[in-house]
Amino acid sequence: MATLAHDELIWVACPARVWRAARVLSTGDDVLSVEYEADDEVEEEGAEIPLHGKSAPKLLRRNAVLVGEGAMRYDNLTEVPELHEAAVLHALDARFRRAQIYTFTGPVLLAVNPFRSLPLYGPEQLRSFGRGGATSAAPHVYGIAARALEGIRARYESQTVLISGESGAGKTETTKFVMQFLALASKPGEDRSKRHGGLSPVERQVLGSNPLLEAFGNAQTLRNDNSSRFGKYIELQFAKPAALGDDVPNPRMTGARIHTYLLEKVRVIRQQEGERSFHIFYQAIAAAQSQDSEMELEGFRGFGLDSFKYLNKQESPNEVEDFEATLAAMDAVGLSKTEVTQIFRTLAAILHLGNVTFESAGESSHVVEKGPSSPLALAAQLLGVDAQRLPTALTRRVRQTPEGSITSTLTAPKAANGRDALARHLYHAVFNYIVQRSNTTIGFQPNLSFCGVLDIFGFEFFQWNSLEQLCINYTNELLQQYFNEFIFQNETSLYEAEGIRWDAEDFPDNTTILELLHGKMEGVLPMLEEECFHVGGSSEAWCNKLVRLHERNKHFAYDKLKKGTFIIRHFAGPVTYHCTEFLEKNKDELSPDLVQCLKGSEEPFVRGLFEHLDRVFGVGQSTSDTGRGRVLKAQRYSVSGEFRQQLKELLQQIQSTQPHFIRCIKPNPKNQAFRDREATKPFFDRPSVAEQLSYQGVLAAIKVARAGFPVRFWHSEFLRGGSQRAPETGRSGRRCPEGEFRCLAPLELQKDLEALVKALTLQEDEAEALRGVKRLLQSERVQAA
């Protein structure tokens, strides 16, 4: 570590603040005397910091360029000479306090959710970014969307905007802003000033689909009042311009296609304390109780939140208004009144199913309450099925054998599990129906370029992590690998342009983590799928097999004191998974008896829901033609298997496009705009933000960018800083003209420049910093224009 001088500015690692700003007062052999700077949370104070031993904190140089208003100068943090976690955290904090919520780190846009309305998205901003030019280079969600639209307009190449972040970070709103820009910026002339004036039918339908997907796919959670409980990739298709070039107007949207992933349908039957089910249930109940609603809402009228066991009893003040917006969205995507009525009848049936209870009688069970007004009778009526056949399907199982059919009875717990499985699958089928109808109405033409918008779950870890979190974190591992490759390619082109030699091994890589998760024979997920179809397979047996096979893998761990758990050391950090119910959730079985019962419904809509699921519950059979004749094959279904196939197709689609990245950041865990009642101090929780920067790969991207060239100055700034040591002439003896600095220094000045850099910078890894400077000095082409 370089000797620290009096008055030198540094960052000191701090558990509560992550990094604290300080000024050096004096340096001893073992102790550093500093003065901490005051901020919104702490007062100015002095301290003695140990320099050696376990209690010695990590120290980083504090960039003088970021002091005071300096952070406002840097719209792109990669322009900061020495960039590390402390510098990024400070810059985001300083900009956030001044309502600057957007910042670039290289090609990646960081968007910090302000939890309040800011004047950043009005008609003037839309026109400004829609025109392109210098404005589009500013950090803003419209700027990212403008870049994507420019790629289609100028080159007619498909694009993708990848939006990530944890629940509450603002992904849903950011997605809406991107889609809004792409729909409105393509409108001619003054039409842009009117939010929805001049929109084509397709553009209206695309924008109208947002509230519909939110109503059926979003819910209130502990982290977010409007959390997306599914992933989506929306392809917005554009007509090909008659010509390509600078004078061509922005293309118009002509079609769209929505892909959805991993709907959290378990939320239909169960929610944590303080959370809610999907918004649509609460909207329908509130509308049924309102005198203003014209919808019939059969099955909802006369019932409140207290009437249904599947719902937590939490109300929202705007449910009726939200319901009207949902109805308008249904109309926008082409759903008829008959379809809307059938959708709400099915939703009501789901809630009444949750009230059906069972009583055991030995190894069999029966429905506790029957009669024309019982929950079972209401559910059967709404679904259009026989009120006698439904309880039989819930409490009996019929298996076909070569000798004939065998009927067995179910205990009350197993019957309740079948009831819950039916409720989950009904809701999922309705959700899929709405997405498919929206796609059919909007339309999508093959062979046209598109801009994809990916809004998908961020890295998750809770006290109890199950199959849902494993699938979500696997998704983030795949996207992180793609992100790493994108940054790697960007840096490669930069190094080649600068003539800098570098070692590709410096770049972070999560390939080995992905191999642990999806390796063909021994991956965690393939082993789970195999266990699901193994006679006598269980979640505990699967977990034990994982431990035996992977206990020496550096990305895998387990705690001997916590049976039935295992740990995956993800790129973003370690997560402990509890294997309970993994197999049951992965099979996601619905009994053939219930499937046949619902296929016998008198309602064509309900019959269609099960015909269009296009899947097999458990193990089925399919035939295929070979050169030797027809072969009967086992056909398997699992949640993780289907999801992995969807992700494979998603990545193939994304990799065929030009990517644009937006990382959404949640500034505090309380979802508050301000930390004080006077609303003067924006609430920026540094530990929470630092954690997100890490697990979203932002810090890893900075490490990638700095791996071969860790200390970055504009040539003019570096020349000014080293002018006292560097000669006025290059090797050729020619004086360098102003504004140009060729052959920055002859090799004999390496030691002087190393001393200069050591005085200028205090890096996390000083040796790596100096190796980077040596690579710069030893390169054949160290020059700037």
mmCIF file of all heavy atoms in Angstrom, residues 244-283:
data_model
loop_
_atom_site.group_PDB
_atom_site.id
_atom_site.type_symbol
_atom_site.label_atom_id
_atom_site.label_comp_id
_atom_site.label_asym_id
_atom_site.label_seq_id
_atom_site.Cartn_x
_atom_site.Cartn_y
_atom_site.Cartn_z
ATOM 1 N N LEU A 244 -33.144 3.232 -46.028
ATOM 2 C CA LEU A 244 -32.404 3.298 -44.777
ATOM 3 C C LEU A 244 -31.443 4.474 -44.840
ATOM 4 O O LEU A 244 -30.842 4.740 -45.875
ATOM 5 C CB LEU A 244 -31.626 2.003 -44.525
ATOM 6 C CG LEU A 244 -32.471 0.717 -44.412
ATOM 7 C CD1 LEU A 244 -31.564 -0.481 -44.240
ATOM 8 C CD2 LEU A 244 -33.457 0.812 -43.273
ATOM 9 N N GLY A 245 -31.282 5.189 -43.734
ATOM 10 C CA GLY A 245 -30.356 6.318 -43.718
ATOM 11 C C GLY A 245 -30.812 7.402 -42.767
ATOM 12 O O GLY A 245 -31.816 7.273 -42.064
ATOM 13 N N ASP A 246 -30.074 8.504 -42.744
ATOM 14 C CA ASP A 246 -30.311 9.565 -41.783
ATOM 15 C C ASP A 246 -31.645 10.262 -41.975
ATOM 16 O O ASP A 246 -32.239 10.757 -41.014
ATOM 17 C CB ASP A 246 -29.179 10.605 -41.864
ATOM 18 C CG ASP A 246 -27.843 10.016 -41.432
ATOM 19 O OD1 ASP A 246 -27.873 9.007 -40.693
ATOM 20 O OD2 ASP A 246 -26.799 10.540 -41.830
ATOM 21 N N ASP A 247 -32.131 10.355 -43.187
ATOM 22 C CA ASP A 247 -33.346 11.130 -43.445
ATOM 23 C C ASP A 247 -34.619 10.299 -43.360
ATOM 24 O O ASP A 247 -35.721 10.807 -43.602
ATOM 25 C CB ASP A 247 -33.270 11.778 -44.835
ATOM 26 C CG ASP A 247 -32.108 12.758 -44.939
ATOM 27 O OD1 ASP A 247 -31.788 13.364 -43.900
ATOM 28 O OD2 ASP A 247 -31.539 12.891 -46.031
ATOM 29 N N VAL A 248 -34.478 9.025 -43.021
ATOM 30 C CA VAL A 248 -35.653 8.151 -42.962
ATOM 31 C C VAL A 248 -36.388 8.391 -41.649
ATOM 32 O O VAL A 248 -35.774 8.434 -40.584
ATOM 33 C CB VAL A 248 -35.226 6.672 -43.069
ATOM 34 C CG1 VAL A 248 -36.428 5.756 -42.932
ATOM 35 C CG2 VAL A 248 -34.519 6.431 -44.384
ATOM 36 N N PRO A 249 -37.712 8.574 -41.648
ATOM 37 C CA PRO A 249 -38.454 8.750 -40.393
ATOM 38 C C PRO A 249 -38.466 7.454 -39.585
ATOM 39 O O PRO A 249 -38.204 6.368 -40.113
ATOM 40 C CB PRO A 249 -39.860 9.133 -40.860
ATOM 41 C CG PRO A 249 -39.973 8.542 -42.231
ATOM 42 C CD PRO A 249 -38.591 8.652 -42.833
ATOM 43 N N ASN A 250 -38.775 7.582 -38.299
ATOM 44 C CA ASN A 250 -38.852 6.394 -37.457
ATOM 45 C C ASN A 250 -39.932 5.450 -37.973
ATOM 46 O O ASN A 250 -41.015 5.887 -38.357
ATOM 47 C CB ASN A 250 -39.176 6.785 -36.011
ATOM 48 C CG ASN A 250 -37.990 7.431 -35.320
ATOM 49 O OD1 ASN A 250 -36.849 7.124 -35.623
ATOM 50 N ND2 ASN A 250 -38.268 8.331 -34.393
ATOM 51 N N PRO A 251 -39.659 4.139 -37.990
ATOM 52 C CA PRO A 251 -40.657 3.177 -38.493
ATOM 53 C C PRO A 251 -41.833 3.058 -37.533
ATOM 54 O O PRO A 251 -41.709 3.306 -36.340
ATOM 55 C CB PRO A 251 -39.864 1.869 -38.564
ATOM 56 C CG PRO A 251 -38.784 2.029 -37.552
ATOM 57 C CD PRO A 251 -38.420 3.475 -37.548
ATOM 58 N N ARG A 252 -43.001 2.665 -38.056
ATOM 59 C CA ARG A 252 -44.201 2.472 -37.239
ATOM 60 C C ARG A 252 -44.314 1.026 -36.775
ATOM 61 O O ARG A 252 -43.914 0.089 -37.472
ATOM 62 C CB ARG A 252 -45.453 2.847 -38.039
ATOM 63 C CG ARG A 252 -45.547 4.289 -38.446
ATOM 64 C CD ARG A 252 -45.624 5.235 -37.268
ATOM 65 N NE ARG A 252 -46.805 5.067 -36.441
ATOM 66 C CZ ARG A 252 -47.928 5.781 -36.596
ATOM 67 N NH1 ARG A 252 -48.010 6.695 -37.561
ATOM 68 N NH2 ARG A 252 -48.956 5.603 -35.790
ATOM 69 N N MET A 253 -44.874 0.864 -35.594
ATOM 70 C CA MET A 253 -45.100 -0.465 -35.043
ATOM 71 C C MET A 253 -46.236 -1.144 -35.810
ATOM 72 O O MET A 253 -47.296 -0.554 -36.025
ATOM 73 C CB MET A 253 -45.443 -0.339 -33.563
ATOM 74 C CG MET A 253 -45.368 -1.645 -32.796
ATOM 75 S SD MET A 253 -45.879 -1.408 -31.063
ATOM 76 C CE MET A 253 -44.612 -0.262 -30.507
ATOM 77 N N THR A 254 -46.001 -2.396 -36.223
ATOM 78 C CA THR A 254 -47.012 -3.100 -37.015
ATOM 79 C C THR A 254 -47.495 -4.402 -36.383
ATOM 80 O O THR A 254 -48.432 -5.028 -36.884
ATOM 81 C CB THR A 254 -46.455 -3.434 -38.410
ATOM 82 O OG1 THR A 254 -45.301 -4.271 -38.263
ATOM 83 C CG2 THR A 254 -46.073 -2.166 -39.165
ATOM 84 N N GLY A 255 -46.865 -4.827 -35.310
ATOM 85 C CA GLY A 255 -47.276 -6.082 -34.686
ATOM 86 C C GLY A 255 -46.540 -6.292 -33.377
ATOM 87 O O GLY A 255 -45.599 -5.561 -33.044
ATOM 88 N N ALA A 256 -46.964 -7.288 -32.627
ATOM 89 C CA ALA A 256 -46.315 -7.600 -31.355
ATOM 90 C C ALA A 256 -46.626 -9.037 -30.964
ATOM 91 O O ALA A 256 -47.616 -9.618 -31.420
ATOM 92 C CB ALA A 256 -46.768 -6.647 -30.259
ATOM 93 N N ARG A 257 -45.754 -9.574 -30.131
ATOM 94 C CA ARG A 257 -45.959 -10.938 -29.633
ATOM 95 C C ARG A 257 -45.441 -10.999 -28.196
ATOM 96 O O ARG A 257 -44.338 -10.537 -27.914
ATOM 97 C CB ARG A 257 -45.236 -11.951 -30.520
ATOM 98 C CG ARG A 257 -45.408 -13.401 -30.097
ATOM 99 C CD ARG A 257 -44.932 -14.342 -31.188
ATOM 100 N NE ARG A 257 -43.552 -14.099 -31.584
ATOM 101 C CZ ARG A 257 -42.943 -14.719 -32.599
ATOM 102 N NH1 ARG A 257 -43.639 -15.580 -33.351
ATOM 103 N NH2 ARG A 257 -41.691 -14.460 -32.899
ATOM 104 N N ILE A 258 -46.255 -11.558 -27.295
ATOM 105 C CA ILE A 258 -45.916 -11.618 -25.873
ATOM 106 C C ILE A 258 -45.540 -13.048 -25.505
ATOM 107 O O ILE A 258 -46.281 -13.989 -25.789
ATOM 108 C CB ILE A 258 -47.107 -11.160 -25.008
ATOM 109 C CG1 ILE A 258 -47.554 -9.749 -25.404
ATOM 110 C CG2 ILE A 258 -46.742 -11.206 -23.522
ATOM 111 C CD1 ILE A 258 -48.887 -9.345 -24.807
ATOM 112 N N HIS A 259 -44.380 -13.200 -24.880
ATOM 113 C CA HIS A 259 -43.969 -14.488 -24.316
ATOM 114 C C HIS A 259 -43.931 -14.333 -22.798
ATOM 115 O O HIS A 259 -43.407 -13.341 -22.285
ATOM 116 C CB HIS A 259 -42.580 -14.900 -24.805
ATOM 117 C CG HIS A 259 -42.435 -14.939 -26.293
ATOM 118 N ND1 HIS A 259 -42.665 -16.071 -27.039
ATOM 119 C CD2 HIS A 259 -42.073 -13.971 -27.182
ATOM 120 C CE1 HIS A 259 -42.446 -15.807 -28.324
ATOM 121 N NE2 HIS A 259 -42.087 -14.536 -28.426
ATOM 122 N N THR A 260 -44.467 -15.300 -22.066
ATOM 123 C CA THR A 260 -44.459 -15.226 -20.607
ATOM 124 C C THR A 260 -43.742 -16.444 -20.026
ATOM 125 O O THR A 260 -43.705 -17.516 -20.640
ATOM 126 C CB THR A 260 -45.884 -15.149 -20.034
ATOM 127 O OG1 THR A 260 -46.630 -16.312 -20.423
ATOM 128 C CG2 THR A 260 -46.587 -13.890 -20.544
ATOM 129 N N TYR A 261 -43.217 -16.256 -18.802
ATOM 130 C CA TYR A 261 -42.402 -17.298 -18.179
ATOM 131 C C TYR A 261 -42.707 -17.419 -16.693
ATOM 132 O O TYR A 261 -42.787 -16.424 -15.973
ATOM 133 C CB TYR A 261 -40.902 -16.975 -18.337
ATOM 134 C CG TYR A 261 -40.499 -16.695 -19.757
ATOM 135 C CD1 TYR A 261 -40.477 -15.391 -20.251
ATOM 136 C CD2 TYR A 261 -40.166 -17.736 -20.625
ATOM 137 C CE1 TYR A 261 -40.130 -15.131 -21.563
ATOM 138 C CE2 TYR A 261 -39.808 -17.475 -21.933
ATOM 139 C CZ TYR A 261 -39.796 -16.169 -22.402
ATOM 140 O OH TYR A 261 -39.456 -15.921 -23.706
ATOM 141 N N LEU A 262 -42.896 -18.670 -16.245
ATOM 142 C CA LEU A 262 -42.905 -19.029 -14.828
ATOM 143 C C LEU A 262 -43.861 -18.184 -13.992
ATOM 144 O O LEU A 262 -43.465 -17.545 -13.027
ATOM 145 C CB LEU A 262 -41.475 -18.919 -14.260
ATOM 146 C CG LEU A 262 -41.139 -19.837 -13.073
ATOM 147 C CD1 LEU A 262 -41.199 -21.285 -13.493
ATOM 148 C CD2 LEU A 262 -39.783 -19.496 -12.499
ATOM 149 N N LEU A 263 -45.120 -18.168 -14.369
ATOM 150 C CA LEU A 263 -46.122 -17.499 -13.553
ATOM 151 C C LEU A 263 -46.160 -18.149 -12.158
ATOM 152 O O LEU A 263 -46.197 -19.369 -12.037
ATOM 153 C CB LEU A 263 -47.506 -17.605 -14.199
ATOM 154 C CG LEU A 263 -48.660 -16.995 -13.408
ATOM 155 C CD1 LEU A 263 -48.580 -15.481 -13.414
ATOM 156 C CD2 LEU A 263 -49.997 -17.464 -13.979
ATOM 157 N N GLU A 264 -46.163 -17.326 -11.129
ATOM 158 C CA GLU A 264 -46.155 -17.821 -9.750
ATOM 159 C C GLU A 264 -47.576 -18.229 -9.340
ATOM 160 O O GLU A 264 -48.207 -17.603 -8.494
ATOM 161 C CB GLU A 264 -45.610 -16.743 -8.809
ATOM 162 C CG GLU A 264 -45.356 -17.246 -7.403
ATOM 163 C CD GLU A 264 -45.035 -16.106 -6.449
ATOM 164 O OE1 GLU A 264 -45.518 -14.978 -6.646
ATOM 165 O OE2 GLU A 264 -44.305 -16.350 -5.487
ATOM 166 N N LYS A 265 -48.055 -19.299 -9.931
ATOM 167 C CA LYS A 265 -49.453 -19.674 -9.719
ATOM 168 C C LYS A 265 -49.727 -20.218 -8.326
ATOM 169 O O LYS A 265 -50.886 -20.261 -7.898
ATOM 170 C CB LYS A 265 -49.885 -20.693 -10.779
ATOM 171 C CG LYS A 265 -49.035 -21.941 -10.875
ATOM 172 C CD LYS A 265 -49.443 -22.741 -12.095
ATOM 173 C CE LYS A 265 -48.545 -23.973 -12.267
ATOM 174 N NZ LYS A 265 -48.904 -24.726 -13.479
ATOM 175 N N VAL A 266 -48.676 -20.580 -7.567
ATOM 176 C CA VAL A 266 -48.898 -21.019 -6.193
ATOM 177 C C VAL A 266 -49.485 -19.888 -5.364
ATOM 178 O O VAL A 266 -50.141 -20.119 -4.344
ATOM 179 C CB VAL A 266 -47.578 -21.529 -5.573
ATOM 180 C CG1 VAL A 266 -46.596 -20.384 -5.344
ATOM 181 C CG2 VAL A 266 -47.838 -22.269 -4.265
ATOM 182 N N ARG A 267 -49.316 -18.642 -5.809
ATOM 183 C CA ARG A 267 -49.864 -17.480 -5.115
ATOM 184 C C ARG A 267 -51.398 -17.528 -5.110
ATOM 185 O O ARG A 267 -52.031 -16.899 -4.258
ATOM 186 C CB ARG A 267 -49.357 -16.193 -5.765
ATOM 187 C CG ARG A 267 -49.819 -14.899 -5.098
ATOM 188 C CD ARG A 267 -49.057 -13.719 -5.626
ATOM 189 N NE ARG A 267 -47.671 -13.779 -5.233
ATOM 190 C CZ ARG A 267 -47.202 -13.264 -4.099
ATOM 191 N NH1 ARG A 267 -48.013 -12.642 -3.269
ATOM 192 N NH2 ARG A 267 -45.930 -13.355 -3.802
ATOM 193 N N VAL A 268 -51.993 -18.233 -6.048
ATOM 194 C CA VAL A 268 -53.457 -18.335 -6.095
ATOM 195 C C VAL A 268 -53.992 -18.970 -4.821
ATOM 196 O O VAL A 268 -55.041 -18.560 -4.301
ATOM 197 C CB VAL A 268 -53.898 -19.155 -7.322
ATOM 198 C CG1 VAL A 268 -55.390 -19.432 -7.290
ATOM 199 C CG2 VAL A 268 -53.515 -18.435 -8.602
ATOM 200 N N ILE A 269 -53.299 -19.939 -4.282
ATOM 201 C CA ILE A 269 -53.825 -20.690 -3.135
ATOM 202 C C ILE A 269 -53.187 -20.287 -1.812
ATOM 203 O O ILE A 269 -53.704 -20.623 -0.745
ATOM 204 C CB ILE A 269 -53.641 -22.213 -3.344
ATOM 205 C CG1 ILE A 269 -52.156 -22.572 -3.403
ATOM 206 C CG2 ILE A 269 -54.363 -22.676 -4.591
ATOM 207 C CD1 ILE A 269 -51.872 -24.051 -3.341
ATOM 208 N N ARG A 270 -52.043 -19.567 -1.878
ATOM 209 C CA ARG A 270 -51.322 -19.286 -0.633
ATOM 210 C C ARG A 270 -50.499 -18.019 -0.779
ATOM 211 O O ARG A 270 -49.825 -17.816 -1.785
ATOM 212 C CB ARG A 270 -50.413 -20.466 -0.300
ATOM 213 C CG ARG A 270 -49.733 -20.428 1.030
ATOM 214 C CD ARG A 270 -48.755 -21.597 1.172
ATOM 215 N NE ARG A 270 -49.360 -22.877 0.809
ATOM 216 C CZ ARG A 270 -48.894 -23.658 -0.164
ATOM 217 N NH1 ARG A 270 -47.858 -23.285 -0.890
ATOM 218 N NH2 ARG A 270 -49.487 -24.806 -0.424
ATOM 219 N N GLN A 271 -50.562 -17.137 0.222
ATOM 220 C CA GLN A 271 -49.729 -15.933 0.255
ATOM 221 C C GLN A 271 -49.132 -15.772 1.645
ATOM 222 O O GLN A 271 -49.734 -16.181 2.638
ATOM 223 C CB GLN A 271 -50.535 -14.679 -0.093
ATOM 224 C CG GLN A 271 -51.323 -14.761 -1.385
ATOM 225 C CD GLN A 271 -52.774 -15.106 -1.140
ATOM 226 O OE1 GLN A 271 -53.405 -14.570 -0.237
ATOM 227 N NE2 GLN A 271 -53.316 -16.026 -1.938
ATOM 228 N N GLN A 272 -47.961 -15.163 1.700
ATOM 229 C CA GLN A 272 -47.357 -14.863 2.989
ATOM 230 C C GLN A 272 -48.181 -13.800 3.720
ATOM 231 O O GLN A 272 -48.934 -13.045 3.104
ATOM 232 C CB GLN A 272 -45.932 -14.325 2.814
ATOM 233 C CG GLN A 272 -44.925 -15.312 2.296
ATOM 234 C CD GLN A 272 -43.533 -14.743 2.321
ATOM 235 O OE1 GLN A 272 -43.034 -14.290 3.361
ATOM 236 N NE2 GLN A 272 -42.879 -14.738 1.170
ATOM 237 N N GLU A 273 -48.024 -13.742 5.018
ATOM 238 C CA GLU A 273 -48.665 -12.687 5.796
ATOM 239 C C GLU A 273 -48.188 -11.323 5.294
ATOM 240 O O GLU A 273 -46.994 -11.093 5.138
ATOM 241 C CB GLU A 273 -48.312 -12.844 7.285
ATOM 242 C CG GLU A 273 -49.065 -11.900 8.205
ATOM 243 C CD GLU A 273 -50.548 -12.214 8.263
ATOM 244 O OE1 GLU A 273 -50.906 -13.410 8.116
ATOM 245 O OE2 GLU A 273 -51.331 -11.276 8.455
ATOM 246 N N GLY A 274 -49.133 -10.438 5.016
ATOM 247 C CA GLY A 274 -48.771 -9.108 4.527
ATOM 248 C C GLY A 274 -48.719 -9.011 3.011
ATOM 249 O O GLY A 274 -48.498 -7.924 2.471
ATOM 250 N N GLU A 275 -48.921 -10.148 2.308
ATOM 251 C CA GLU A 275 -48.940 -10.142 0.843
ATOM 252 C C GLU A 275 -50.358 -10.438 0.341
ATOM 253 O O GLU A 275 -51.239 -10.792 1.122
ATOM 254 C CB GLU A 275 -47.941 -11.161 0.286
ATOM 255 C CG GLU A 275 -46.498 -10.851 0.645
ATOM 256 C CD GLU A 275 -45.501 -11.648 -0.162
ATOM 257 O OE1 GLU A 275 -45.900 -12.634 -0.824
ATOM 258 O OE2 GLU A 275 -44.323 -11.294 -0.149
ATOM 259 N N ARG A 276 -50.537 -10.296 -0.960
ATOM 260 C CA ARG A 276 -51.853 -10.540 -1.561
ATOM 261 C C ARG A 276 -51.726 -11.503 -2.733
ATOM 262 O O ARG A 276 -50.645 -11.743 -3.253
ATOM 263 C CB ARG A 276 -52.481 -9.238 -2.061
ATOM 264 C CG ARG A 276 -52.662 -8.161 -1.027
ATOM 265 C CD ARG A 276 -53.749 -7.164 -1.391
ATOM 266 N NE ARG A 276 -53.735 -6.718 -2.776
ATOM 267 C CZ ARG A 276 -54.686 -5.960 -3.322
ATOM 268 N NH1 ARG A 276 -55.726 -5.587 -2.600
ATOM 269 N NH2 ARG A 276 -54.614 -5.580 -4.588
ATOM 270 N N SER A 277 -52.869 -12.004 -3.157
ATOM 271 C CA SER A 277 -52.936 -12.787 -4.388
ATOM 272 C C SER A 277 -52.892 -11.820 -5.569
ATOM 273 O O SER A 277 -52.617 -10.626 -5.411
ATOM 274 C CB SER A 277 -54.215 -13.619 -4.406
ATOM 275 O OG SER A 277 -54.224 -14.508 -5.509
ATOM 276 N N PHE A 278 -53.188 -12.286 -6.752
ATOM 277 C CA PHE A 278 -53.122 -11.438 -7.939
ATOM 278 C C PHE A 278 -54.174 -10.335 -7.867
ATOM 279 O O PHE A 278 -55.281 -10.521 -7.351
ATOM 280 C CB PHE A 278 -53.294 -12.292 -9.197
ATOM 281 C CG PHE A 278 -52.162 -13.263 -9.401
ATOM 282 C CD1 PHE A 278 -52.309 -14.605 -9.060
ATOM 283 C CD2 PHE A 278 -50.951 -12.839 -9.919
ATOM 284 C CE1 PHE A 278 -51.264 -15.492 -9.231
ATOM 285 C CE2 PHE A 278 -49.896 -13.725 -10.092
ATOM 286 C CZ PHE A 278 -50.051 -15.048 -9.746
ATOM 287 N N HIS A 279 -53.845 -9.169 -8.409
ATOM 288 C CA HIS A 279 -54.698 -7.989 -8.302
ATOM 289 C C HIS A 279 -56.127 -8.245 -8.771
ATOM 290 O O HIS A 279 -57.081 -7.701 -8.212
ATOM 291 C CB HIS A 279 -54.123 -6.845 -9.163
ATOM 292 C CG HIS A 279 -52.819 -6.301 -8.681
ATOM 293 N ND1 HIS A 279 -52.501 -6.171 -7.346
ATOM 294 C CD2 HIS A 279 -51.742 -5.818 -9.372
ATOM 295 C CE1 HIS A 279 -51.295 -5.644 -7.234
ATOM 296 N NE2 HIS A 279 -50.811 -5.420 -8.445
ATOM 297 N N ILE A 280 -56.302 -9.066 -9.801
ATOM 298 C CA ILE A 280 -57.596 -9.190 -10.451
ATOM 299 C C ILE A 280 -58.676 -9.692 -9.501
ATOM 300 O O ILE A 280 -59.839 -9.287 -9.596
ATOM 301 C CB ILE A 280 -57.500 -10.113 -11.704
ATOM 302 C CG1 ILE A 280 -58.780 -10.042 -12.521
ATOM 303 C CG2 ILE A 280 -57.134 -11.528 -11.304
ATOM 304 C CD1 ILE A 280 -59.072 -8.665 -13.071
ATOM 305 N N PHE A 281 -58.316 -10.545 -8.540
ATOM 306 C CA PHE A 281 -59.315 -11.045 -7.590
ATOM 307 C C PHE A 281 -59.886 -9.890 -6.748
ATOM 308 O O PHE A 281 -61.093 -9.796 -6.542
ATOM 309 C CB PHE A 281 -58.697 -12.098 -6.671
ATOM 310 C CG PHE A 281 -58.374 -13.394 -7.353
ATOM 311 C CD1 PHE A 281 -57.071 -13.869 -7.412
ATOM 312 C CD2 PHE A 281 -59.375 -14.165 -7.922
ATOM 313 C CE1 PHE A 281 -56.775 -15.069 -8.026
ATOM 314 C CE2 PHE A 281 -59.099 -15.384 -8.546
ATOM 315 C CZ PHE A 281 -57.781 -15.827 -8.596
ATOM 316 N N TYR A 282 -59.013 -9.034 -6.269
ATOM 317 C CA TYR A 282 -59.446 -7.927 -5.406
ATOM 318 C C TYR A 282 -60.219 -6.888 -6.205
ATOM 319 O O TYR A 282 -61.182 -6.297 -5.702
ATOM 320 C CB TYR A 282 -58.222 -7.301 -4.730
ATOM 321 C CG TYR A 282 -57.442 -8.296 -3.912
ATOM 322 C CD1 TYR A 282 -56.447 -9.089 -4.492
ATOM 323 C CD2 TYR A 282 -57.720 -8.481 -2.553
ATOM 324 C CE1 TYR A 282 -55.743 -10.014 -3.743
ATOM 325 C CE2 TYR A 282 -57.019 -9.412 -1.800
ATOM 326 C CZ TYR A 282 -56.030 -10.182 -2.402
ATOM 327 O OH TYR A 282 -55.346 -11.102 -1.658
ATOM 328 N N GLN A 283 -59.814 -6.676 -7.456
ATOM 329 C CA GLN A 283 -60.545 -5.743 -8.312
ATOM 330 C C GLN A 283 -61.980 -6.227 -8.544
ATOM 331 O O GLN A 283 -62.933 -5.442 -8.461
ATOM 332 C CB GLN A 283 -59.817 -5.587 -9.654
ATOM 333 C CG GLN A 283 -58.469 -4.900 -9.571
ATOM 334 C CD GLN A 283 -57.776 -4.837 -10.923
ATOM 335 O OE1 GLN A 283 -58.393 -5.086 -11.964
ATOM 336 N NE2 GLN A 283 -56.491 -4.509 -10.932
#
